[in-house]
Structures are given as C-alpha cells and as structure tokens.
C-alpha cells in the first residue's frame, strides 16, 4: 500500500538510496556519491580540507542516516536549525507522505 502512495522518484530512492555529503561547516560537498566501498573510503579519507566530506547523509526514503566522520568532530550533532542538513531533513519531512526516521551516528561515539 505504501508503494502505491509514493511518487516514482521516491520508489526509486527506496530501492536505490542516495548518499550525499557535507563539509565540516555543514555545506553541501557532493550531492550524490556512489555506494561502492572504494568511493566511500576515498571520500571518508579525504584530505581534511574545508571542502572535504565530513558528514554523510544516506536517504532511503523511510529512514535517513546522518553519519559524522572524525573530521566533523566540532560540528554539532544533531545539526543546528538553519543549517543545510537540517533544511533538507525538514523539507523531506514536509514533502513525503511518510516522514522519514532520522538516525544520527558519530565516529566519535
């Protein structure tokens, strides 16, 4: 019954989750990563510069995982109101027929 209520783009995302990344300042770094282990390892082990991915957001429609790498240690968890990450999470909650469950994971825990 849920699949009948979802638009085709969300059904596709439910089957093929989308991974994006944000810098340690909370700005979008890459809108779409490959879900391969090698691509994630390369992004995770970036050079640590200001534009390096530090926070990953995996959107699987019903569940969203926000994962903080060690490079994001100084960024607040959960992200502050008004940040790019919080804005996209709020938008997804409003636009979707079912609000996604959001899980925060930190490499420092």
């Amino acid at each position: 019954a849920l699949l009948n209520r979802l638009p085709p783009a969300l059904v596709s995302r439910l089957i093929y989750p989308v991974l994006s990344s944000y810098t340690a300042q909370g700005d979008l770094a890459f809108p779409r990563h490959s879900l391969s282990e090698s691509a994630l390892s390369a992004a995770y082990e970036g050079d640590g510069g200001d534009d390096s991915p530090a926070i990953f957001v995996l959107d699987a429609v019903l569940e969203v995982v926000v994962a903080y790498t060690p490079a994001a240690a100084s960024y607040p968890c959960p992200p502050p109101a008004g940040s790019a990450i919080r804005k996209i999470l709020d938008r997804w909650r409003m636009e979707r027929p079912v609000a996604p469950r959001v899980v925060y994971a930190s490499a420092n825990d």
Side-chain angles (χ1 to χ4, degrees):
L2 173 65
L3 292 178
N4 293 335
R5 295 182 13 212
L6 293 176
L10 287 182
V11 173
S12 173
R13 189 168 284 200
L14 186 64
I15 297 168
Y16 303 106
V18 173
L19 180 69
S20 54
S21 63
Y22 293 79
T23 65
Q25 292 76 32
D27 299 319
L28 184 64
F30 298 103
R32 186 177 294 256
H33 284 276
S34 167
L35 293 179
S36 71
E37 183 178 353
S38 61
L40 291 176
S41 294
Y44 188 86
E45 297 167 1
D47 63 8
D50 288 344
D51 294 333
S52 293
I55 304 166
F56 291 91
V57 177
L58 180 67
D59 177 17
V61 179
L62 300 177
E63 187 166 69
V64 175
V65 177
V66 181
Y68 287 67
T69 67
S74 63
Y75 195 75
C77 182
S83 68
I85 297 170
R86 182 59 70 93
K87 286 179 184 176
I88 193 71
L89 294 174
D90 291 343
R91 191 178 93 211
W92 289 340
R93 284 187 186 115
M94 297 298 294
E95 291 178 348
R96 297 181 179 177
V98 176
R101 183 184 107 160
V102 179
V103 176
Y104 296 99
S106 176
N108 299 321
D109 290 342

